[in-house]
Each structure stands twice: as C-alpha cells, then as structure tokens.
Amino acid sequence: LGAARRARLPPGEMGWPLVGGMWAFLRAFKSGKPDAFIASFVRRFGRTGVYRSFMFSSPTVLVTTAEGCKQVLMDDDAFVTGWPKATVALVGPRSFVAMPYDEHRRIRKLTAAPINGFDALTGYLPFIDRTVTSSLRAWADHGGSVEFLTELRRMTFKIIVQIFLGGADQATTRALERSYTELNYGMRAMAINLPGFAYRGALRARRRLVAVLQGVLDERRAARAKGVSGGGVDMMDRLIEAQDERGRRLDDDEIIDVLVMYLNAGHESSGHITMWATVFLQENPDMFARAKAEQEAIMRSIPSSQQGLSLRDFRKMEYLSQVIDETLRLVNISFVSFRQATRDVFVNGYLIPKGWKVQLWYRSVHMDPQVYPDPTKFDPSRWEGHSPRAGTFL
C-alpha cells in the first residue's frame, strides 16, 4: 500500500499468516459468545467503528456502526458484493451473492413477484397453515420430547419445497433436505477442500443438490415441450417463464443457483427465527399471553365460511410482528454480510483500499446501546410506532 495509504488504515491487526483473525472469529461463535470477537477490537483499539483484520483469506475492514453500514450498503459504485470463496462456490456463481449490481437488480426483479406478490402469498398461505397445524399435532402426539429446531427446520423445509418445487415427491424432498443440512455446515467455513473439513463435504452436497434440481428442471422442460401441465404453478415454473423487458429468460444455471439460494435462506432462517421467538415468548409469560390473545382474537374474527387464514388476517398480527422484529434484532440470522471496495474509499475517516473486502457487522449495530437502549433485553414494545433509521435495522 505504501506508507501514506497504510497510515490511513483503520486500527486493528492482521493476525497470523494465512489464518488471520479466523481462529478468534470461530472461537467466539463456537463459545456461545459471538459478541466477544468485535468486543476484543473495541477493547484494544477503541470505538472507531471500523477495524482491519485478515478474514476468509483476504485483507478485510470490519464495519460495526449504523452510519458505516449504511454508507457501504448504499454506495453501489464504491462497493460490490464480496462474499467469501466458500459461500460463492456453495450457493452458486449465478446467485445473488456473486452477481454484479445490474444483473442482481434484473434477477431480483424477475423473482420478487413470484415470492412476495399478493397472488403468490395468497396461494402459499393455505399450505403453510395446513403444514404448521399437522406438524404441531404430530409433535403433540409424539408422547415425549422433540428436538425442536430439527423439527422446525423439517417443517419449514417442507413448506419451502412446496412453494418452490410444488409436486416434489418424498424421495426428492428427503434428498434435498439431507444435502442442504451438509451444505449449511460449510457455508461460512474456511475454503479448505481437504478430507475432514466442512467445506469439502458441503461441495459434495452442492453437487448432489444441483443434480436433483437439474433433474426436476429437465422434467419440467420436457413436459412443457409436450404441452403437459403439472397442475399448480410453483416457483420453478415461474422462473422458467420469467422474462425481462428485453425478452431475456433465465438459463438453467441461473434458475438452479437462485433455487439453491432461496431454498437455503427460506428454511434455515425461518426455522431458526421461529425457534428463538418461541424461546423468548416462553421466557416472558406476559408477552406470550399478549401474543396469544392477539391470535385468538383474529381466530374469532374469521367467518365460518372462510377456510384457514387470509392475508387480511395475517396483517392484523401487529404484536406478533413486533415479536418477530425484536427476535430478528436480538438474534440476527445474517449477523454479517460482505462487500468489496472497487476503489479507495473512506468510511468513518479511515481508508478502505481498493480490492479489500468489507464485513458489515449487523449484529454490532443491533447490540449498540446508543441505537437500542438496553440491547440485550428482549422487548417487542420498542417497535410500537417505531420506524428505524436507515442502517439501524439490518
């Protein structure tokens, strides 16, 4: 970098050769005290909001303040996606984690309506309702204890597969579930492709996933060529049909990588957040009573002619929404995201050199007492009438 640029770097340390700060990072998260990693930088170098380290095989700047995160996230000229090699290889080079901004915007636009559009959500709700109800009954009939997170992940995976691959048979669903479990173990691991390392097993799992999804995709295209309809329309059908304003369609690699990404994000994050929301409600009986009373009031308001929940009912769940937002704040599933500087740029007065990776520590923002008073306390009421400032709820 040269002496002048080096003098403008944030405080920090690059750690051991090759390994950098990864051992400290992994040790903090394995210990159950994830905040210890950033706390060590704050303790040694002060509250500068940006620190330098060597992470995931790259020189990296860690950004830990709301203002810094907002600057990096909103400056699409100075920063592009910069996820670790392992994540890109496992999710796929044609997924959101690797594609350039313009392509990201195109694919996101094509996939937004099939996932979040009114018609799509209306179509998903009945199946979600039935699946959750049947799962709860099965757990109740089990007669003993159940491993809650495992069962939740199984339930959310069943839902997400139905949404994305409608008519997938049980064998396909089981094969996908097994592979996704192994894929997750390597998602944020170091990219060491040697026997015994999580990344190697996750690469095998990705190959199995791609083979299963390619097989389903081939069947769909063959059926379409013959004019055969499978009945309902799922996410894969919508991705096959999707075209942008220039008439461009997604190719097989793009469809598969989008599905790998959404299937993973959809069931993993939903399962974990549902688990933690349940834990927090169980630990706070008054909040549980209020959330339960809201649901019972909604159930009483549903006309007898209506089957299951509607989006109208869903939008009445104001207190439950606050519970979920507070859970997402306190147990952020995406605790960190990754960018890369396209040119020399300054954040909080410190230099981020061109080509360096940037880690945005969402968790540090959510646990900052200057942003959220008493941040370790689970308090859904902090969201009543509150619209968070840009960069403070990530």
Side-chain angles (χ1 to χ4, degrees):
L1 293 175
R5 292 169 76 211
R6 198 160 54 243
R8 308 293 298 273
L9 289 173
E13 64 178 12
M14 304 308 273
W16 294 93
L18 300 178
V19 176
M22 288 302 294
W23 290 137
F25 165 79
L26 293 170
R27 186 168 62 248
F29 277 80
K30 294 285 186 184
S31 72
K33 298 177 181 177
D35 300 316
F37 179 67
I38 293 297
S40 70
F41 284 90
V42 175
R43 187 175 60 253
R44 287 176 292 163
F45 306 112
R47 292 187 173 276
T48 59
V50 286
Y51 307 95
R52 74 174 185 271
S53 186
F54 192 83
M55 303 288 291
F56 294 97
S57 307
S58 300
T60 299
V61 170
L62 319 174
V63 180
T64 65
T65 64
E67 293 74 20
C69 287
K70 177 185 174 185
Q71 178 184 339
V72 174
L73 288 169
M74 298 190 72
D75 191 342
D76 293 317
D77 293 325
F79 299 98
V80 293
T81 55
W83 288 83
K85 176 183 175 182
T87 307
V88 174
L90 295 175
V91 178
R94 307 295 293 275
S95 69
F96 287 165
V97 300
M99 62 180 61
Y101 177 71
D102 288 341
E103 189 66 5
H104 184 288
R105 185 169 56 180
R106 181 178 83 93
I107 302 295
R108 193 175 182 88
K109 188 175 180 181
L110 286 175
T111 59
I115 293 173
N116 289 324
F118 180 86
D119 291 341
L121 289 174
T122 300
Y124 302 154
L125 266 178
F127 179 78
I128 295 173
D129 196 353
R130 291 194 304 272
T131 304
V132 172
T133 302
S134 63
S135 297
L136 288 169
R137 284 183 181 140
W139 302 342
D141 293 341
H142 185 265
S145 61
V146 296
E147 196 171 83
F148 190 46
L149 178 58
T150 299
E151 295 300 328
L152 280 174
R153 289 173 66 188
R154 192 162 288 151
M155 180 187 77
T156 55
F157 194 75
K158 193 183 298 181
I159 291 169
I160 209 77
V161 167
Q162 174 67 22
I163 290 171
F164 285 78
L165 298 171
D169 56 37
Q170 281 195 339
T172 299
T173 302
R174 279 197 299 271
L176 288 170
E177 186 181 6
R178 283 194 300 270
S179 296
Y180 265 106
T181 299
E182 193 170 355
L183 182 78
N184 270 303
Y185 290 140
M187 195 65 77
R188 286 188 175 90
M190 295 176 71
I192 302 174
N193 189 9
L194 293 173
F197 284 86
Y199 179 63
R200 188 181 184 91
L203 284 174
R204 284 198 308 267
R206 174 176 166 84
R207 288 194 290 271
R208 292 197 300 269
L209 281 171
V210 170
V212 172
L213 292 172
Q214 185 67 62
V216 177
L217 192 54
D218 290 343
E219 290 176 8
R220 296 287 176 92
R221 291 201 186 279
R224 283 169 171 269
K226 296 176 182 177
V228 177
S229 173
V233 177
D234 57 27
M235 183 64 182
M236 181 175 274
D237 292 320
R238 290 186 170 101
L239 290 175
I240 292 171
E241 294 168 357
Q243 58 181 342
D244 61 19
E245 58 275 5
R246 298 182 186 176
R248 290 181 298 172
R249 295 183 181 273
L250 302 175
D251 61 31
D252 284 8
D253 289 345
E254 287 175 312
I255 291 174
I256 288 172
D257 282 359
V258 166
L259 285 172
V260 168
M261 178 190 65
Y262 274 138
L263 281 164
N264 185 62
H267 92 282
E268 275 293 316
S269 56
S270 301
H272 279 269
I273 285 298
T274 305
M275 180 198 73
W276 280 110
T278 306
V279 169
F280 291 143
L281 287 175
Q282 190 169 12
E283 291 175 346
N284 295 275
D286 54 333
M287 298 174 190
F288 173 67
R290 183 174 172 184
K292 188 166 183 277
E294 179 181 70
Q295 296 301 308
E296 289 171 341
I298 292 169
M299 293 299 291
R300 287 194 298 270
S301 71
I302 296 176
S304 56
S305 58
Q306 180 179 312
Q307 295 293 317
L309 291 169
S310 69
L311 276 184
R312 184 183 64 253
D313 304 318
F314 180 73
R315 286 166 179 158
K316 293 177 183 176
M317 300 178 185
E318 294 180 7
Y319 185 68
L320 186 61
S321 180
Q322 293 168 18
V323 168
I324 297 300
D325 282 349
E326 180 67 347
T327 305
L328 286 165
R329 181 195 68 81
L330 199 56
V331 190
N332 195 314
I333 295 302
S334 295
F335 62 90
V336 64
S337 70
F338 301 83
R339 296 291 186 272
Q340 182 170 335
T342 60
R343 55 179 168 80
D344 283 4
V345 61
F346 287 86
V347 174
N348 283 18
Y350 293 100
L351 171 67
I352 300 179
K354 177 181 178 180
W356 277 40
K357 295 295 179 77
V358 181
Q359 286 188 1
L360 305 170
W361 278 76
Y362 297 167
R363 182 171 172 81
S364 296
V365 175
H366 290 177
M367 301 304 288
D368 186 342
Q370 295 181 354
V371 180
Y372 295 100
D374 199 1
T376 59
K377 180 183 179 183
F378 181 74
D379 182 15
S381 66
R382 71 171 85 235
W383 297 97
E384 287 183 20
H386 173 64
S387 297
R389 289 183 294 110
T392 60
F393 186 49
L394 297 158

